[in-house]
Amino acid sequence: DIVITLDHEGRIQYSNRFAAELFGQAAHDLVGKNIAEIFPTKVTASQLASIQEVFRGGEAIDREARTLFPNSTIWLDTRLSPIKGVNGETTSVLVVSRDITQRKQAEEALQAANDQLNALINALPDRIITFDEDGRYLDMHSDLVAASHIYRQSPINQYLHDIEELPDEVADLVLSTIRQAIESDQLQTVEYRIPGDLIEWDEGRVLPLQKTVNGKRTVLWITRDISQQKVAEAQSQKYAEQVRLL
């Protein structure tokens, strides 16, 4: 860890060896220097503001920041703590910083991966919903609410049987398939018909997840409108029957 102490004006009173190495100097050479002499202006302004905050409030504060050093730029998780004299007034500030660059890089990589995944999901023709094992809606894309005649509003945190436009027999089938997927730990596929002004056939693929929410297993329900496929199948069967009767 980086350990230094600073006075009210930002002059270094003490520096450990690790802090000095980051500046390419010996620890005793840093003592007496103002942080304005060793950090860029933008960094210095932010650091001095934090130091003054500790002197004014007399309480420790925490900061995370990307920090520029002579030979590197790293992320630091820093705690600034007051050092108080016999009268209780803050006489200097103890600064302890830990290098969290690897953690920040991992967070950034994870965010980038999530962004790519969301972009891929949004580009798919399939509709993706996350349910728990009791058929409670946990997550779904907002565009699905607008595009579907089933949902008047977001169903998040509602249960399948709470959706008035979803027939009970369809809700029963979906819930049964969710539970089969969880019990078997295998992908389940089901086709079902949703009545309405426009009759819709859907194919649902249910992928069980290891993730739990409030102690409940979860699944991804991936649905695709197969109405045109069903119409084509019906027409094909009708044509085949006509040929058979000739």
Side-chain angles (χ1 to χ4, degrees):
D1 290 352
I2 297 170
V3 180
I4 60 175
T5 58
L6 301 166
D7 69 10
H8 192 275
E9 295 179 353
R11 280 191 298 266
I12 298 172
Q13 298 173 320
Y14 165 82
S15 169
N16 71 345
R17 180 175 56 82
F18 184 66
E21 288 175 352
L22 284 172
F23 292 101
Q25 301 185 38
H28 64 268
D29 290 333
L30 283 180
V31 174
K33 288 185 176 181
N34 193 287
I35 58 174
E37 300 176 55
I38 56 177
F39 282 109
T41 303
K42 281 188 178 180
V43 174
T44 302
S46 173
Q47 291 173 337
L48 285 174
S50 296
I51 293 167
Q52 296 303 321
E53 183 177 341
V54 175
F55 270 100
R56 285 194 305 270
E59 301 289 339
I61 60 174
D62 297 299
R63 295 286 186 266
E64 282 189 6
R66 193 193 301 268
T67 307
L68 177 65
F69 289 92
N71 298 315
S72 62
T73 300
I74 62 177
W75 274 94
L76 293 177
D77 180 10
T78 301
R79 166 157 282 216
L80 297 91
S81 304
I83 299 175
K84 299 185 178 182
V86 292
N87 60 358
E89 291 186 359
T90 300
T91 58
S92 55
V93 172
L94 171 66
V95 180
V96 179
S97 298
R98 176 161 294 177
D99 185 348
I100 57 169
T101 305
Q102 289 186 342
R103 191 192 85 192
K104 283 294 185 178
Q105 290 172 341
E107 291 174 355
E108 290 170 358
L110 178 60
Q111 184 60 52
N114 285 337
D115 290 344
Q116 290 179 341
L117 178 60
N118 288 333
L120 176 62
I121 289 173
N122 291 337
L124 291 173
D126 298 342
R127 295 161 291 179
I128 302 176
I129 305 172
T130 306
F131 288 105
D132 72 7
E133 63 189 56
D134 293 329
R136 182 165 66 97
Y137 289 81
L138 299 177
D139 189 30
M140 67 188 300
H141 198 283
S142 58
D143 289 351
L144 179 54
V145 177
S148 175
H149 65 274
I150 297 175
Y151 308 111
R152 295 179 180 175
Q153 59 185 7
S154 172
I156 301 303
N157 289 324
Q158 296 187 62
Y159 292 85
L160 282 160
H161 289 87
D162 294 333
I163 310 302
E164 294 182 5
E165 290 76 10
L166 191 67
D168 285 343
E169 60 270 21
V170 175
D172 290 340
L173 177 62
V174 172
L175 182 57
S176 173
T177 308
I178 288 171
R179 289 175 173 169
Q180 287 175 18
I182 291 173
E183 289 172 5
S184 65
D185 256 333
Q186 294 182 344
L187 178 72
Q188 301 291 320
T189 302
V190 63
E191 293 181 358
Y192 52 97
R193 178 180 173 183
I194 300 177
D197 295 336
L198 295 174
I199 293 177
E200 178 182 320
W201 277 92
D202 283 353
E203 177 191 68
R205 287 164 289 158
V206 191
L207 179 66
L209 305 176
Q210 295 304 315
K211 178 183 177 181
T212 61
V213 174
N214 296 327
K216 306 285 187 179
R217 283 283 301 275
T218 59
V219 303
L220 281 183
W221 183 279
I222 306 169
T223 67
R224 176 173 294 183
D225 186 343
I226 58 170
S227 302
Q228 292 184 348
Q229 174 186 326
K230 285 295 184 180
V231 170
E233 289 175 357
Q235 290 175 341
S236 177
Q237 291 174 357
K238 182 178 179 181
Y239 177 73
E241 181 67 15
Q242 290 173 343
V243 171
R244 188 184 67 82
L245 295 175
L246 289 179

